[in-house]
Amino acid sequence: MKHSYLLASSLLLFSACGKDDAPELSLPGEYRAENRIVATAINMYTSNGQVNNNTLIDKFIRRHQVGSYFSRIDVPVPAGNSLTLSISSDNKATFVSMAPNDPRSPDILKAEILSRLQDHFVLAEFDSVNLASSVSSDRCEQLSRNMMLELPNKRCRALPPVTGFSQQCRYRPTSVLLVKDGNLRLPFFSWLIKNQQGLGYCSNAYNGVRNIFNTTVLNQLRTGDTIVVQVREVPFIKQ
C-alpha cells in the first residue's frame, strides 16, 4: 500500500483558545514531515450507535474495496518522497511536496492561517476555485457534504437549468493542521458511507482529505446509514 505526500492527491492572525496546561507552540519556522502516516482508530457508526467489532469493520471495508483508504498500522511513505512546511510570522503557510515518480512534483500549496481552535489550525488556500455543481438527493452524497468539520465560506449563484447544474460557487479550499503535544500534524481523513434501503443502496468513499471528522454527522444518521471514519496523521518535526 503506497502513499504519496503530494498535496493535490489528498483531496494561521490566529487566536489561541485551549487548555491552560497545553504546551506552547511557537508557530513560525520550517518543518519536515516524518516518513510515515500514523494509524489511528478506525470507527464505524450506524443509527444505533458505534460498532465495536474490528473484524466486522475490516470486512465491511474490504467488501467495498477501499482497503488502502484505512490502516491499523503505521504506513511508510515511499522512499524519496518528502513534505516540508514553512510558516511565516504573518501567518502564511507553504507546503512543498516532492515525489520523484510523479510528474506533478514538486507540488506547492500556499495557504493563509485563519484561526486556531483548541486542537487545530484552520487554513484557506490563497488560490480560489470556481465550481459548478448540483444539489444531489443521493443520501450518501448528502452525508459526505457534512463529513468535514472545517468547511470553506462559499459565494454561490443559481444557474439556469439549461447548464445542467443548479449553482456555481467560488471559494478558497479549507484544510486543517492538528496540534498534539505542542507539535503539528497533517491529518489524512478517510471515510466510507453506505445507505441500504431494501434492495437499493448507495455508497461512496474519500481518502487523504486534509480535514477532520465532523462528529455532528452522528446526529444525522438514520436507519440504513453506515459510516466508517479514520483520521490518520503525518507528524511534522520543526527544524
Side-chain angles (χ1 to χ4, degrees):
M1 178 166 48
K2 295 184 178 180
H3 293 263
S4 169
Y5 276 136
L6 276 175
L7 298 168
S9 70
S10 304
L11 250 160
L12 257 156
L13 153 231
F14 64 84
S15 61
C17 77
K19 298 179 181 178
D20 293 338
D21 59 354
E24 289 294 326
L25 178 63
S26 177
L27 200 58
E30 304 295 324
Y31 299 80
R32 175 181 57 82
E34 294 186 17
N35 291 322
R36 62 190 177 111
I37 302 176
V38 178
T40 60
I42 302 174
N43 295 316
M44 173 185 277
Y45 303 93
T46 71
S47 59
N48 295 320
Q50 186 168 356
V51 176
N52 296 304
N53 184 324
N54 288 345
T55 300
L56 187 152
I57 294 171
D58 292 344
K59 286 182 178 179
F60 185 81
I61 291 171
R62 289 196 300 270
R63 188 161 64 247
H64 289 82
Q65 301 180 355
V66 290
S68 62
Y69 289 16
F70 303 89
S71 178
R72 294 196 180 277
I73 61 173
D74 294 358
V75 177
V77 173
N81 285 18
S82 66
L83 174 64
T84 59
L85 167 63
S86 176
I87 300 179
S88 64
S89 58
D90 59 350
N91 303 310
K92 305 296 189 296
T94 302
F95 296 86
V96 179
S97 176
M98 301 287 292
N101 297 322
D102 196 308
R104 297 168 295 178
S105 181
D107 187 23
I108 300 174
L109 186 151
K110 295 186 177 183
E112 176 185 11
I113 303 171
L114 300 179
S115 61
R116 177 176 181 177
L117 302 178
Q118 181 173 329
D119 58 357
H120 67 276
F121 291 95
V122 181
L123 298 82
E125 296 179 18
F126 280 111
D127 293 334
S128 60
V129 298
N130 203 12
L131 184 66
S133 63
S134 296
V135 178
S136 174
S137 59
D138 181 272
R139 175 62 179 164
C140 296
E141 286 299 325
Q142 290 174 352
L143 287 173
S144 279
R145 287 198 295 268
N146 297 320
M147 291 293 286
M148 294 182 291
L149 180 63
E150 302 295 349
L151 297 174
N153 293 319
K154 295 184 177 182
R155 292 179 294 171
C156 301
R157 64 183 181 89
L159 294 176
V162 68
T163 64
F165 299 99
S166 61
Q167 63 180 1
Q168 186 169 36
C169 298
R170 189 175 186 85
Y171 60 94
R172 295 164 63 193
T174 300
S175 60
V176 165
L177 272 176
L178 298 172
V179 181
K180 284 195 174 181
D181 300 322
N183 298 306
L184 295 178
R185 293 188 172 214
L186 183 70
F188 271 48
F189 180 23
S190 301
W191 68 82
L192 167 61
I193 297 174
K194 180 179 180 180
N195 173 265
Q196 182 82 44
Q197 295 294 331
L199 296 178
Y201 75 93
C202 67
S203 66
N204 64 29
Y206 289 80
N207 181 40
V209 179
R210 291 176 292 117
N211 216 300
I212 51 181
F213 180 41
N214 175 18
T215 57
T216 64
V217 167
L218 301 179
N219 300 324
Q220 303 171 26
L221 298 182
R222 61 194 190 198
T223 301
D225 291 337
T226 301
I227 64 173
V228 178
V229 298
Q230 183 183 34
V231 182
R232 291 179 290 175
E233 303 167 355
V234 176
F236 279 105
I237 300 172
K238 195 169 186 179
Q239 304 301 290

